[in-house]
Amino acid sequence: ICMFVARDDSAGYSEYTPLGHSQPGSQTPGSSLLPSQLAVQQASGSQAKVDGKLSSSQSLAARQSLRPGSASMTHAAALGMPTTPGDTAPGTPSTGADDWTGEIPTIYRQLVSPVAQTWLGVPLATLSQPNFQVNVSGLSGIPLLSAAMVQRNGSHCIEISVNGVRALVTLELEIWRGDGTFVGVLKRDRALPKFGAADAPQLVLRNREGCPVLLLVTTWRDASGCDFKLGSVAAGSLVERATAVRRPAGRLPCDHYEVVVNQNLDAVLVIAMLLAAVCFDSPCATLAAPGRQSATPGGSVMSLS
């Protein structure tokens, strides 16, 4: 049984500290291999040498060549995830797909705060590497979960772990629970009004039926990355649910994404959507806190009507 203690600070944030468990990323008896160990086991000796010689620019080119839509079949099958019967892929818009569902999926209920915002810090520098493992920290700097870029059956994917793998993000921007349950797929949507930076894509998380659930928009874009805002539609307006803004070293000892998750939203789901956008949809050769002199400002999130 996993128990978490929520602590509110003066800024109105909550932080969760696992009780009776080792820190995320440590292995306990009977648990599955760490993401880094899994990647080492699954890569052949020759492939591991090639990966070790990849530069960040080569990594960027490789990821851009594998962006969603470039593959003829879903990577979910290669990763051992269930596929949808018939010809329709999960998340494909269908009749009534523009009717936003009020049900937002939850991956890990222990990281859903009902009373306060949740603050998380994601180190930036390693996210542009071909293989990485980072600890996602809470307000005090204590790691709460980990994220790792690994290979499964020759396909890159991101594993998000809290005392075991809780979420999986594929190259096709599909998000799955650790037990193989489909959560949703992120798709670029040009039909919706533009809420973020004019030259940046916005991604819609659609459920299995194709209904939009959450919208990830770019609020700031420059040469070293993007800042994001995540929202959902209620009563005809886009309601802010979370933000991910690049910050210089300070609260954490390195440049990082400061992720603030509002009440009643799963922090693991937010991290999964953020990493899908940063690592797969719009990768950068290097990621850092922004130099805003040459940045492109984004629009504010306003009413849909």
Side-chain angles (χ1 to χ4, degrees):
I1 300 174
C2 181
M3 297 180 60
F4 285 77
V5 175
R7 176 177 64 80
D8 293 348
D9 70 353
S10 57
Y13 298 123
S14 67
E15 180 174 355
Y16 294 85
T17 304
L19 301 178
H21 290 278
S22 57
Q23 292 296 335
S26 63
Q27 188 174 5
T28 57
S31 65
S32 59
L33 292 176
L34 290 173
S36 58
Q37 294 171 323
L38 179 63
V40 170
Q41 284 191 0
Q42 291 179 335
S44 64
S46 59
Q47 184 63 41
K49 292 179 182 179
V50 173
D51 288 343
K53 295 178 181 178
L54 282 174
S55 65
S56 61
S57 61
Q58 289 172 320
S59 170
L60 175 63
R63 290 191 196 176
Q64 287 177 332
S65 68
L66 290 171
R67 284 177 57 182
S70 62
S72 59
M73 63 175 291
T74 178
H75 287 83
L79 299 174
M81 294 297 177
T83 55
T84 303
D87 298 328
T88 303
T92 302
S94 57
T95 303
D98 289 334
D99 296 331
W100 288 70
T101 177
E103 184 178 355
I104 298 175
T106 297
I107 298 175
Y108 193 62
R109 194 167 299 278
Q110 286 86 336
L111 285 181
V112 179
S113 172
V115 295
Q117 292 178 318
T118 300
W119 186 94
L120 298 169
V122 184
L124 285 172
T126 58
L127 296 182
S128 56
Q129 296 178 1
N131 293 290
F132 64 78
Q133 182 170 4
V134 296
N135 287 325
V136 179
S137 303
L139 194 61
S140 64
I142 297 175
L144 297 181
L145 54 96
S146 65
M149 177 78 76
V150 301
Q151 285 195 11
R152 288 193 176 193
N153 299 330
S155 250
H156 277 88
C157 63
I158 300 172
E159 291 180 342
I160 301 172
S161 301
V162 189
N163 298 312
V165 177
R166 301 296 176 179
L168 190 76
V169 182
T170 74
L171 279 168
E172 291 187 334
L173 308 188
E174 293 176 349
I175 301 175
W176 299 78
R177 292 185 180 88
D179 63 3
T181 307
F182 180 77
V183 175
V185 58
L186 287 163
K187 293 181 176 289
R188 294 195 181 194
D189 198 323
R190 295 182 178 87
L192 289 173
K194 197 70 176 178
F195 296 105
D199 60 343
Q202 54 188 22
L203 296 171
V204 181
L205 180 70
R206 294 185 179 272
N207 61 17
R208 181 173 288 278
E209 291 73 31
C211 295
V213 179
L214 292 168
L215 181 64
L216 185 70
V217 300
T218 303
T219 56
W220 195 277
R221 186 180 189 182
D222 55 33
S224 58
C226 299
D227 297 340
F228 300 97
K229 183 174 291 187
L230 188 149
S232 62
V233 174
S237 295
L238 192 63
V239 180
E240 180 181 307
R241 300 288 186 179
T243 57
V245 179
R246 289 163 297 151
R247 301 293 189 193
R251 179 172 285 177
L252 294 184
C254 58
D255 286 6
H256 59 280
Y257 267 113
E258 180 185 76
V259 181
V260 179
V261 184
N262 286 358
Q263 298 91 326
N264 299 314
L265 183 62
D266 182 10
V268 172
L269 176 61
V270 173
I271 295 297
M273 294 178 63
L274 172 65
L275 294 181
V278 171
C279 300
F280 291 148
D281 185 72
S282 302
C284 287
T286 58
L287 287 167
R292 292 184 180 268
Q293 292 84 351
S294 59
T296 301
S300 58
V301 177
M302 301 297 290
S303 172
L304 286 172
S305 56

